Amino acid sequence: MARLLRCLRKSFIFSSSTSIAYRNPRICVQSNQSYIFLSSRKFLSSGSYVSEMRRTAFEGNILRLIRSEIQSELDHSPILQPEERFGPFTVDDRPGEQWISLRRKFGEKEDIKIEATMFDGSVPSSKSTSSDPEDVQLHITFIVNISKGDGETLEIMCSAWPDTIQITKFFVRKSSQNSPNAYIGPEFQEMEDELQDSVYRFLEERGISDDLAEFLHQYMKNKDKAEYIRWMETVKSYVEQK
């Protein structure tokens, strides 16, 4: 009887194990998958760590180079406080932009506004005999707008070289936007010499002369450095963000 009970118990245990294995055929497979999954997570975690280390090193190198460039620029020549006036004109530096504005009143009716670019071109220096690429004359474009409150504006386009101004075109702009195909006159150099001279005298009476060209070149030299450093500081701040 005892032997029969032992046999029945063995049969029950075997039958139960077989039944469990039959009802759950993925028990062993799941165990292996769990091992693979954990191993994969460990591998991915290690790969992410390496990528993060590389990114951190890359950003650190960028920051080091930017800080070095900023310091080098400041050591070479410090940024000066921008001039707020040029003769009768008030000067608006417009930080972060590539233009500055100068304004003044002339007489009882005229409002004069000058908008000047930063350096926008260059030509080889006429006095130079060397092949030095830095031995050039820098160019600045500026536009003079003179209005009398009647809706029309006299617009004079000019170039500023290091010690002289040069008129390139002038025309009257209506209050309503001109058609893209509107005729705005010939090139200034094509006009009669006497007419050209009279326009230069007209500007000179309003404080727009070769002295303005010299002022703009000195001003833009300082602004060029200030904007370059401001740009590098902006990039540095972005890279430093976490």
Side-chain angles (χ1 to χ4, degrees):
M1 186 65 179
R3 184 181 298 172
L4 177 61
L5 289 174
R6 285 196 297 271
C7 289
L8 289 174
R9 183 179 294 174
K10 289 180 180 179
S11 298
F12 175 76
I13 293 173
F14 174 78
S15 176
S16 299
S17 301
T18 303
S19 177
I20 292 172
Y22 179 78
R23 288 196 303 269
N24 300 278
R26 292 185 294 176
I27 288 177
C28 293
V29 176
Q30 287 176 345
S31 177
N32 290 335
Q33 286 178 338
S34 297
Y35 174 76
I36 294 171
F37 176 69
L38 290 172
S39 298
S40 298
R41 286 189 63 184
K42 183 178 180 181
F43 175 78
L44 291 173
S45 177
S46 177
S48 299
Y49 175 76
V50 172
S51 297
E52 178 65 19
M53 288 291 291
R54 287 176 178 172
R55 184 183 68 83
T56 302
F58 177 70
E59 291 176 352
N61 188 49
I62 290 178
L63 290 173
R64 179 182 61 81
L65 292 172
I66 291 175
R67 292 188 185 109
S68 176
E69 179 67 9
I70 292 173
Q71 192 59 50
S72 176
E73 285 290 326
L74 293 175
D75 289 344
H76 183 263
S77 59
I79 298 174
L80 305 177
Q81 182 67 26
E83 297 285 345
E84 297 181 353
R85 298 194 67 86
F86 167 70
F89 290 91
T90 58
V91 182
D92 180 5
D93 183 64
R94 294 159 72 165
E97 298 186 24
Q98 300 183 64
W99 294 73
I100 67 168
S101 297
L102 298 88
R103 295 176 182 270
R104 70 163 296 186
K105 296 278 292 184
F106 182 77
E108 296 181 358
K109 292 184 176 181
E110 290 186 4
D111 287 310
I112 302 176
K113 179 178 71 172
I114 300 173
E115 291 192 319
T117 67
M118 292 172 62
F119 298 121
D120 58 2
S122 65
V123 297
S125 176
S126 59
K127 300 178 181 179
S128 173
T129 58
S130 69
S131 58
D132 185 355
E134 295 186 0
D135 192 4
V136 296
Q137 287 189 326
L138 297 175
H139 176 268
I140 293 170
T141 298
F142 70 95
I143 302 172
V144 181
N145 289 287
I146 303 175
S147 61
K148 298 182 179 181
D150 56 0
E152 295 183 339
T153 301
L154 176 62
E155 188 165 299
I156 306 174
M157 303 180 67
C158 306
S159 292
W161 299 101
D163 56 3
T164 187
I165 67 170
Q166 179 182 12
I167 300 172
T168 57
K169 189 178 285 292
F170 79 100
F171 56 93
V172 175
R173 187 181 296 279
K174 304 292 184 180
S175 56
S176 57
Q177 188 173 5
N178 285 355
S179 166
N181 299 318
Y183 179 69
I184 58 174
E187 294 298 319
F188 187 75
Q189 289 77 10
E190 298 174 1
M191 298 178 179
E192 294 291 334
D193 291 345
E194 187 176 353
L195 177 57
Q196 292 185 38
D197 291 341
S198 66
V199 177
Y200 277 110
R201 286 195 299 271
F202 174 84
L203 288 181
E204 191 170 354
E205 289 174 359
R206 288 155 179 79
I208 303 168
S209 64
D210 293 343
D211 290 340
L212 174 62
E214 295 180 14
F215 169 79
L216 289 176
H217 274 257
Q218 289 298 318
Y219 192 100
M220 293 306 182
K221 183 179 179 181
N222 187 63
K223 182 174 175 63
D224 184 72
K225 178 183 287 288
E227 295 300 341
Y228 179 51
I229 292 177
R230 180 179 290 109
W231 173 78
M232 286 193 293
E233 290 285 3
T234 300
V235 174
K236 181 170 73 72
S237 296
Y238 176 82
V239 176
E240 287 174 337
Q241 292 178 3
K242 300 299 183 183

